[in-house]
Amino acid sequence: MGHTVGEVARMSGQTVRTLHHYDQIGLLVPAGRTASGYRRYSDDDVERLRQILTYRELGFGLDGIAEILDDPGADTRAHLVRQHELVTERIERLRAIARGLEQLMEADTMELDLTAAERLELFGDFDVDAHAEEARRRWGGGEAFAQSQRRVGSYTKADWERHNAEAAEIYRDLARILAEGAPADGEAAMGLAERHREHITRWFYDCTTDIHRGLGELYVADERFTATIDAHGEGLSAYLRDAFAANADHQEARRASEDR
């Protein structure tokens, strides 16, 4: 009997009107109709709709999607491979934007001595100055802000490239151990948390354990931080919050022991 237009609409999250439009333009014509003229969609039709929605999400227009799907040389496997490649490219682009965001958030300000071309290479189309002004409004009165401002003002393109590489490695390692199931208060996670704290201290400002613990809380409380960090791995922001707190407790206990 196949699927009714209402069933397909519910399964796909599309409206019945959208499905009617796809039928009218020949993009998704149902395999059959009932004696009363109602549309009936086959499983192959539902698979074609999935492909249409994927290509739409990737930014293709309906005419372009029709050309791709009606290519006689392409089968379902070929479409899956193509879609996977396109999605992977988009993920890499978002990760590159995320790295730029991390620099903006951790540095607090970005008064960069870089040419327009260098800014474009490092940050893509991300608006560095707009986020620098926001950071100035939020944190401009603190010593950490002033210290960071003094440091980053002298950084060259090569300096930022080194910073980017270090930061990317730290977040990549943190995402990896999260995926492996390592506990946030375990030795591996706390070791990487300490690397993260030292990284901030080396590049921006003296990041105490209290400040680092607060950063972890901010990564979860502010959805912009959460989205940026979770681009490296789902749930990473909450994992960092817990790892930063565990490492702060560990470092403070170690110092207290040494002072006895």
Side-chain angles (χ1 to χ4, degrees), residues 13 59 101 108 141 147 160 165 187 214 238-240 243 247:
L101 281 166
D108 295 342
Q147 187 179 26
W160 283 113
E187 183 177 347
Y239 188 73
L240 262 59
N247 181 60

Side-chain angles (χ1 to χ4, degrees), residues 88-106:
T88 300
E89 289 173 5
R90 176 167 289 190
I91 289 171
E92 291 305 314
R93 171 60 178 157
L94 290 173
R95 283 177 174 164
I97 294 173
R99 289 193 291 270
L101 281 166
E102 288 156 13
Q103 296 160 18
L104 294 171
M105 292 186 296
E106 292 178 352

Side-chain angles (χ1 to χ4, degrees), residues 127-154:
D127 190 342
V128 174
D129 294 327
H131 283 261
E133 181 57 32
E134 180 180 354
R136 184 176 288 106
R137 288 197 302 269
R138 292 183 62 177
W139 303 301
E143 172 56 30
F145 176 90
Q147 187 179 26
S148 176
Q149 190 175 34
R150 289 192 297 270
R151 291 187 185 180
V152 302
S154 65

Side-chain angles (χ1 to χ4, degrees), residues 170-223:
I170 292 170
Y171 281 104
R172 185 168 55 247
D173 288 346
L174 282 161
R176 174 180 53 78
I177 66 169
L178 168 61
E180 291 172 353
D185 58 354
E187 183 177 347
M190 288 194 296
L192 286 170
E194 184 64 11
R195 270 181 60 194
H196 183 273
R197 187 173 74 89
E198 291 171 350
H199 171 79
I200 294 174
T201 296
R202 183 165 59 256
W203 285 96
F204 302 117
Y205 51 82
D206 294 333
C207 185
T208 66
T209 51
D210 278 342
I211 290 176
H212 203 224
R213 187 186 283 109
L215 277 176
E217 294 292 341
L218 183 62
Y219 288 173
V220 174
D222 191 312
E223 62 184 13

Side-chain angles (χ1 to χ4, degrees), residues 46-60:
V46 173
E47 170 58 21
R48 182 179 173 92
L49 177 59
R50 184 199 64 76
Q51 294 173 352
I52 291 169
L53 298 179
T54 300
Y55 281 120
R56 269 184 52 196
E57 182 66 25
L58 290 167
F60 285 79

Side-chain angles (χ1 to χ4, degrees), residues 4-5 30 32-41:
T4 67
V5 66
R33 289 181 180 264
T34 67
S36 302
Y38 292 106
R39 294 170 174 85
R40 286 290 178 176
Y41 293 83

